[in-house]
Amino acid sequence: METNEEALSEIAILQDKLRVLLRSRYGSPPYTVEMGLGFPDSMLATGPAEDKILFELGPIELVPYSVYFFLEIIKNWKGGSFHRNAGHVLQAMVSGNRQQGMAFQEYHPDFPHLKYTMGYAGRPGGPAFYISTQNNKWNHGPGSQGSKTEADGCFGVIGDATSKKVVDRMTTQPGGGKGSGFIEDSKDFIRILYLKLL
């Protein structure tokens, strides 16, 4: 995360402008997203071939850039898949759109990486993202992953029980390589069929 005072001042100006833009473009928050999922043949014994999860994007008072960035992912959506089951996260790659990564890390301590939250993979992050399958405040919050100050942006939370059950099913995704959890064969990827702002 940024520590330079001048940069922090410019980020605060941008965040204020994004709050106005988000309300103008999308109406008043909260913003709810539906994600359609296509499960691989290797997982059909545990449920249907297609399912969905609902999640609410974070509070724009705390993380407006992170919310805006995900809404841009939706707007430019071409495809993607969950291709990593690392034990603490389910990570998705975004394919086919030309969206670049985030310009800076936006993290707020009042919206941490708890179980069933969603965050941006990489530093500064995105467009790849993940679902936390455990409390990840220490794995992905400030001072994590060998950094003294950096933290992944947290942008959403899965709140309803039905969607949480789908995420729990996703954690049984087979094919993860030792250590990193990257799925070795694409036939075991969980496809993201669509992203839709409700």
Side-chain angles (χ1 to χ4, degrees), residues 4-185:
N4 177 281
E5 289 298 323
E6 186 177 344
L8 289 171
S9 176
E10 294 298 319
I11 286 170
I13 292 168
L14 174 65
Q15 288 172 319
D16 285 341
K17 291 182 183 302
L18 283 171
R19 290 180 188 103
V20 173
L21 174 68
L22 287 165
R23 286 188 176 97
S24 172
R25 187 176 290 175
Y26 299 106
S28 296
Y31 307 122
T32 301
V33 177
E34 181 177 290
M35 178 188 296
L37 299 170
F39 285 86
D41 289 345
S42 58
M43 296 184 70
L44 296 186
T46 63
E50 293 185 7
D51 217 328
K52 66 183 179 185
I53 59 174
L54 300 177
F55 56 94
E56 189 174 293
L57 297 179
I60 65 173
E61 295 77 18
L62 305 179
V63 289
Y65 177 53
S66 297
V67 169
Y68 169 79
F69 191 86
F70 198 80
L71 289 168
E72 288 295 296
I73 290 174
I74 295 171
K75 186 169 93 173
N76 298 306
W77 186 253
K78 303 280 188 239
S81 298
F82 284 90
H83 68 119
R84 184 180 183 211
N85 182 357
H88 68 297
V89 295
L90 295 162
Q91 185 173 322
M93 63 179 168
V94 175
S95 54
N97 83 15
R98 296 183 176 199
Q99 188 165 343
Q100 300 294 312
M102 300 182 82
F104 62 91
Q105 292 168 312
E106 180 183 61
Y107 178 83
H108 197 285
D110 291 338
F111 196 60
H113 294 279
L114 303 177
K115 187 174 184 180
Y116 300 115
T117 59
M118 302 178 74
Y120 292 112
R123 301 278 169 96
F129 60 91
Y130 57 83
I131 299 171
S132 286
T133 56
Q134 67 179 35
N135 182 336
N136 278 319
K137 287 194 295 188
W138 296 276
N139 291 326
H140 295 280
S144 60
Q145 301 184 19
S147 166
K148 291 184 179 177
T149 61
E150 292 184 335
D152 294 347
C154 188
F155 68 85
V157 62
I158 299 160
D160 70 285
T162 302
S163 295
K164 287 178 179 179
K165 284 182 182 177
V166 175
V167 171
D168 292 344
R169 178 185 176 206
M170 292 170 71
T171 65
T172 68
Q173 180 183 26
K178 292 185 174 147
S180 66
F182 286 99
I183 307 303
E184 295 172 347
D185 191 331

